[in-house]
Amino acid sequence: MIKRMILGAMLLGNAAWCAVGADGGYAGAFLRMGFEARSKSLGDAFVAVPEGAGAGVYNPGALPQLSGPQLMMSLSFLPLDRSLDFVGFALPIRPQSGNSGARPLNAGLMVGWLHAGVDHIDGRDFAGNRTQELSNSEHAFFMGFAVAPSERLSFGVSGKILYNRIPDIAEEGGALTSRGLGIDFGVFFRAMSGLTFGAAVKNNMAKYTWNTDKVYERGTSTTYALPRTLRVGAAWRIPQQWLLVVADVESSDKQNPRYHFGAEATLHRLAAVRLGLDHGKPTFGFGVRSRLFGKQAELNYAFVPTLEALSPDHVFSWTIDF
């Protein structure tokens, strides 16, 4: 019975993810929150932006359009003892032209790891007595690949391995775990100089299956499918290059549509100021570029207000161009 209550407390803890991010109630909420500072400060509108290692997660079809290899590391400081971290690497692949003069088939590749965690969850039994402190961690390991049959059009696919772990809840202090697989598809189209479109269908076939034989005397096996989402967006960079405007529409088979808008003003390619609207929630941020060990590096920050009673989200990302 006690363990039953422990699991109930854990589910309430996961609901904290959902309530604060207004993006939950279903499995895999951390995959729908946005994970890096630049895109978060643009209202999480990024499916049509072919820039940075995070672009391959938003839309694997954008990978061949990247300007060069990039390493990204991101940390999110969130209320309610939650954390969200990402590290990823992406590069375009541009073969040399052969003697035939035919255009080579450009491509792109990315790998990444997204981690979400919740700590200090207060476990209680049916009588309300405190049992133990609980935690939960979720992981998604990405690998994406895309090809560009023309200079304007590219297609991509990304597979991800999902791993969810609740420690110290099974028999003899063991962990309850679940694994899953998911596939994302994306397409990118450059209509004209500065104007791009993107679309991605994410979390196809993704699900968690939980087996509670080691938690309950009569455990069961339950499957939770992740919502499959469709995101369509556009990005426009003015001819003078200093202003980028983005907009995404996101729909799901289990949630209401969500709208994302953002704008970025760049100052002499050294700094950028950003603002956005993430389904009605304002977002802000900035970025600073500099040389580091002979490479171009950029530090980005995003400020995302949450519920009035909670502290805001602070997201920091660091990128290195190779």
Side-chain angles (χ1 to χ4, degrees):
M1 179 179 295
I2 290 177
K3 288 183 175 179
R4 184 185 297 273
M5 287 306 296
I6 290 173
L7 184 57
M10 180 58 67
L11 294 175
L12 289 174
N14 282 328
W17 270 103
C18 311
V20 176
D23 195 22
Y26 300 97
F30 76 114
L31 295 171
R32 302 185 293 276
M33 291 183 60
F35 56 90
E36 63 96 8
R38 187 185 178 199
S39 58
K40 287 292 290 181
S41 57
L42 291 172
D44 203 32
F46 216 72
V47 75
V49 181
E51 300 173 7
V57 177
Y58 278 88
N59 180 5
L63 288 170
Q65 311 292 336
L66 300 179
S67 60
Q70 186 184 83
L71 173 68
M72 171 183 286
M73 292 169 282
S74 184
L75 296 173
S76 298
F77 297 91
L78 312 176
L80 298 179
D81 298 312
R82 300 169 304 149
S83 61
L84 185 67
D85 316 307
F86 174 79
V87 58
F89 179 77
L91 77 162
I93 302 172
R94 299 194 172 93
Q96 298 295 322
S97 300
N99 295 330
S100 63
R103 176 185 175 278
L105 184 65
N106 292 337
L109 179 69
M110 67 83 63
V111 293
W113 170 42
L114 180 64
H115 161 259
V118 185
D119 295 320
H120 307 300
I121 299 174
D122 198 19
R124 300 278 174 168
D125 62 17
F126 277 120
N129 300 313
R130 190 172 188 276
T131 55
Q132 65 186 103
E133 197 168 83
L134 303 169
S135 64
N136 172 235
S137 62
E138 291 186 78
H139 305 263
F141 303 92
F142 296 87
M143 177 172 285
F145 180 75
V147 295
S150 76
E151 294 182 353
R152 294 176 179 269
L153 183 66
S154 54
F155 303 92
V157 60
S158 176
K160 54 193 173 194
I161 299 173
L162 305 173
Y163 180 68
N164 197 331
R165 183 174 187 268
I166 305 172
D168 303 324
I169 195 171
E171 295 176 347
E172 300 179 352
L176 186 64
T177 63
S178 179
R179 297 172 179 81
L181 298 172
I183 300 176
D184 302 341
F185 300 99
V187 58
F188 179 89
F189 179 67
R190 188 181 301 278
M192 55 185 289
S193 178
L195 180 61
T196 57
F197 297 91
V201 181
K202 310 183 75 172
N203 300 327
N204 296 279
M205 302 183 293
K207 60 185 178 182
Y208 285 130
T209 299
W210 293 98
N211 190 326
T212 55
D213 284 344
K214 296 182 179 179
V215 180
Y216 306 138
E217 294 180 358
R218 298 179 180 180
T220 60
S221 179
T222 306
T223 298
Y224 297 93
L226 277 65
R228 184 174 58 184
T229 61
L230 168 65
R231 184 181 282 241
V232 179
W236 178 57
R237 187 178 291 280
I238 67 172
Q240 292 79 12
Q241 300 293 308
W242 65 270
L243 179 64
L244 173 69
V245 180
V246 294
D248 284 7
V249 177
E250 181 182 7
S251 65
S252 164
D253 60 346
K254 297 183 179 180
Q255 295 175 293
N256 295 324
R258 298 171 60 86
Y259 305 93
H260 312 270
F261 305 95
E264 176 187 72
T266 305
L267 309 175
H268 305 293
R269 297 182 181 275
L270 296 176
V273 179
R274 306 175 184 113
L275 56 86
L277 203 60
D278 186 358
H279 198 59
K281 181 173 59 182
T283 59
F284 312 92
F286 63 85
V288 179
R289 295 178 66 86
S290 65
R291 300 289 293 179
L292 182 67
F293 302 119
K295 306 294 183 184
Q296 190 67 48
E298 182 170 352
L299 177 65
N300 292 309
Y301 167 74
F303 175 89
V304 183
T306 56
L307 299 178
E308 186 174 339
L310 299 176
S311 59
D313 296 350
H314 299 279
V315 185
F316 296 87
S317 296
W318 184 46
T319 64
I320 303 176
D321 297 334
F322 293 91

